[in-house]
Amino acid sequence: MHHWRVILIFLLLGFFKVSFLIAQQQPNIVFILSDDAGYADFGFQGSKEFKTPKLDKLANKSIKFTQAYVSAAVCGPSRAGMLTGKYQQRFGFEENNVPGYMSISCLADDDMGLPLDQTTIADHLRKQGYKTALFGKWHLGNADRFHPTKRGFDEFYGFRGGARSYLPFDKNNLLTRNEDKLEQGFGNFSEHKGYLTDELANEAISFIDRNKENPFFIYLSFNAVHTPMEATAEDLAEFPNLKGKRKTLAAMTLAMDRAIGKVLKELKKQGLTDNTLIVYTNDNGGPSDANESDNSPLSGTKANHLEGGIRVPFLMSWANKFNNNKTYNYPISTLDLFPTFLSAAGGNSSEIEGLDGVNLLPYLKGEKTAAPHEFLYWKKENRGAIRNQDWKLIRFPDRPAELYNINEDESETNDLAAQHPEKVKELYKKLFTWELALERPLWQLRREFEGKAADRMDAYRKTNTKK
């Protein structure tokens, strides 16, 4: 009997040792998302006005993606695609935010959210042994059943809606921690004391310190630089040559950059940098007509399918795994984050049914040299777009479709539809075929706002054509 006990002890020790080594080899994953930032409003994107020294430093140690796309031109659906690895329209999450006065549905506001039959990357990473946390903006359903801690996240500190003040607030606009409920009253909440962007970084730093011995996944979902436009006097003073919204936006961007730098510094302090996969990107194009963000050289803004609405800055860093400080020029999608993160963690994304994202790791390591995607799609009710290699077709409800060669004309100033009618027909048909596989929208935009979206795009084009 003693002999078998000794053998059992050795087997258990071996099992725990192997488990520990596997856990140590799994990379930590830090996914940093900003909100409504302009494509060109970063030093690493060429800005001479804005100051982003921490992100610029990260860019020098990263792969910079020059053609990174989101799956939607507005916040909520873009996030639904990122977290599920699927075109959100596949499960009825049309390119419309939730809940919202702009939407119409048989569903009540609190019934609008990321459908409960959809799993998130946090769900799957937790199965791989990760501790998971979300700090910041959720925007995928206000009801308790949609709460982040019921969607794969062990910890949550932030707000469920689409925007809130950056300054200490009152009982009408609160931060929640974990499963605190709005109905419980103001006394059960821990409202931050300072600037919210700093607070979110501090929460991420605390999580790193508490979980440094285990693999972890952090989704640091800043509301910066979304409205309301609020900045500290100290940050505003850094931009004496700017005025108005542009000045405030620069100050808010600087605060976010500083907060990101604090998180990266903590990773280094804990000796975790070499074994951490870091991604920074933005949720959609900048609403330049609202916050004076700069999407140049791209045309368009948030909420439309011109490049400025759907192409975003994108950095990925993983020390000793990638040949960093280089660019990747094929089109990718934020849908690719799900399979890429899961594969890095040791999971098998091919076992998950219905993913539209692609594991980018073989492409970044040089094991695959072709483009990750032959086609990319966008749809907002009657509006839609399709990207096929260098070609991009945009479909409108109130005018003929437009065709651009993005490789030669990323500013989308030369519509080639009349010169290439067969390409228009081919891509139009391909887009429609893709749509046939989608679910009906669970909620839709009120028609008046679809009209305003067209007016907004036309106003942008008219203004920028004069420049």
Side-chain angles (χ1 to χ4, degrees):
M1 182 65 69
H2 176 73
H3 175 71
W4 286 108
R5 285 180 180 175
V6 171
I7 292 175
L8 179 60
I9 290 171
F10 274 105
L11 287 173
L12 289 172
L13 288 174
F15 170 78
F16 287 122
K17 183 177 181 180
V18 170
S19 299
F20 175 77
L21 289 174
I22 291 174
Q24 290 296 97
Q25 290 168 358
Q26 290 176 295
N28 304 304
I29 301 172
V30 176
F31 172 38
I32 305 170
L33 186 69
S34 59
D35 193 342
D36 281 9
Y39 186 75
D41 285 336
F42 303 88
F44 69 89
Q45 292 286 95
S47 178
K48 303 300 182 184
E49 293 181 322
F50 282 30
K51 301 176 182 179
T52 54
K54 305 305 181 183
L55 279 170
D56 297 347
K57 185 176 180 180
L58 177 65
N60 289 333
K61 301 176 182 178
S62 301
I63 297 175
K64 176 183 173 182
F65 295 76
T66 60
Q67 297 193 70
Y69 291 96
V70 289
S71 62
V74 291
C75 307
S78 173
R79 293 157 195 267
M82 289 180 199
L83 290 181
T84 62
K86 302 175 183 178
Y87 286 107
Q88 58 280 355
Q89 297 93 340
R90 290 199 185 280
F91 45 83
F93 201 128
E94 192 72 2
E95 200 173 318
N96 299 315
N97 281 323
V98 301
Y101 69 95
M102 297 173 67
S103 298
I104 187 167
S105 172
C106 60
L107 301 176
D109 272 4
D110 275 357
D111 290 326
M112 299 181 189
L114 181 64
L116 300 181
D117 61 353
Q118 299 301 310
T119 56
T120 71
I121 181 58
D123 287 313
H124 290 273
L125 289 177
R126 195 151 64 171
K127 291 178 182 177
Q128 296 293 318
Y130 278 66
K131 290 291 185 180
T132 60
L134 164 59
F135 304 112
K137 175 174 172 176
W138 174 235
H139 208 194
L140 292 175
N142 282 352
D144 289 343
R145 63 183 174 278
F146 298 123
H147 195 279
T149 55
K150 297 180 180 178
R151 308 312 299 271
F153 292 97
D154 295 311
E155 294 188 22
F156 169 62
Y157 180 83
F159 56 99
R160 304 190 203 188
R164 60 146 287 156
S165 174
Y166 294 81
L167 306 176
F169 223 51
D170 59 26
K171 62 183 179 181
N172 297 313
N173 195 3
L174 307 170
L175 288 167
T176 66
R177 186 182 297 279
N178 295 331
E179 294 192 53
D180 291 343
K181 299 179 181 179
L182 294 175
E183 295 79 14
Q184 290 176 321
F186 180 62
N188 292 311
F189 291 90
S190 176
E191 178 67 15
H192 70 288
K193 303 297 183 184
Y195 192 67
L196 179 57
T197 302
D198 295 324
E199 184 75 2
L200 297 178
N202 291 338
E203 290 290 330
I205 289 169
S206 172
F207 181 83
I208 291 170
D209 181 60
R210 289 182 282 110
N211 293 279
K212 55 182 176 287
E213 302 300 331
N214 305 295
F216 57 77
F217 169 57
I218 292 175
Y219 173 25
L220 181 51
S221 178
F222 288 110
N223 54 320
V225 290
H226 196 290
T227 54
M229 301 195 72
E230 298 169 342
T232 66
E234 293 80 4
D235 287 333
L236 287 167
E238 292 290 322
F239 301 94
N241 297 324
L242 297 178
K243 297 179 180 180
K245 291 182 179 179
R246 187 76 180 151
K247 182 186 185 82
T248 305
L249 186 69
M252 295 169 72
T253 304
L254 177 61
M256 181 183 69
D257 182 79
R258 182 174 58 245
I260 292 171
K262 290 170 61 178
V263 174
L264 299 180
K265 183 178 180 181
E266 180 67 16
L267 291 172
K268 183 176 181 180
K269 173 185 173 183
Q270 300 293 352
L272 301 174
T273 300
D274 286 350
N275 195 37
T276 300
L277 173 59
I278 302 168
V279 170
Y280 165 75
T281 190
N282 191 54
D283 66 342
N284 47 246
S288 55
D289 50 353
N291 68 358
E292 296 190 13
S293 52
D294 182 2
N295 292 324
S296 62
L298 310 178
S299 61
T301 68
K302 174 182 179 177
N304 61 58
H305 294 141
L306 294 168
E307 290 290 284
I310 56 177
R311 197 196 293 194
V312 291
F314 194 107
L315 302 174
M316 183 180 291
S317 175
W318 191 0
N320 302 324
K321 295 292 184 180
F322 300 147
N323 181 12
N324 293 322
N325 195 19
K326 70 174 186 179
T327 59
Y328 188 83
N329 298 317
Y330 282 125
I332 67 156
S333 170
T334 49
L335 300 175
D336 302 332
L337 291 172
F338 185 120
T340 301
F341 289 165
L342 184 58
S343 297
N348 186 354
S349 59
S350 65
E351 296 177 350
I352 301 174
E353 184 177 356
L355 289 183
D356 293 300
V358 172
N359 174 19
L360 294 176
L361 297 182
Y363 297 90
L364 303 181
K365 294 177 180 179
E367 298 167 4
K368 293 185 178 181
T369 57
H373 297 274
E374 184 178 4
F375 295 95
L376 290 172
Y377 302 92
W378 296 266
K379 177 185 179 294
K380 187 178 180 73
E381 301 188 18
N382 292 333
R383 289 186 275 153
I386 179 172
R387 173 81 191 261
N388 171 221
Q389 299 176 345
D390 293 339
W391 293 104
K392 178 182 172 188
L393 178 106
I394 309 177
R395 186 190 66 200
F396 305 97
D398 64 339
R399 68 200 72 185
E402 297 174 2
L403 180 71
Y404 297 97
N405 186 309
I406 298 301
N407 184 51
E408 298 175 356
D409 178 27
E410 66 179 354
S411 298
E412 294 169 303
T413 58
N414 185 23
D415 179 11
L416 300 174
Q419 290 97 308
H420 299 276
E422 290 304 314
K423 180 58 69 173
V424 171
K425 182 178 180 181
E426 173 193 338
L427 294 181
Y428 209 106
K429 181 69 172 178
K430 186 71 176 179
L431 177 59
F432 179 66
T433 300
W434 172 73
E435 288 175 307
L436 293 178
L438 306 178
E439 290 291 332
R440 287 288 185 183
L442 294 172
W443 55 88
Q444 292 184 290
L445 199 67
R446 294 182 186 274
R447 303 313 297 167
E448 62 183 285
F449 292 108
E450 271 292 271
K452 290 179 180 179
D455 293 341
R456 179 182 187 180
M457 186 184 71
D458 289 340
Y460 168 86
R461 282 180 158 176
K462 183 177 180 180
T463 300
N464 285 272
T465 299
K466 292 179 179 180
K467 290 183 179 179

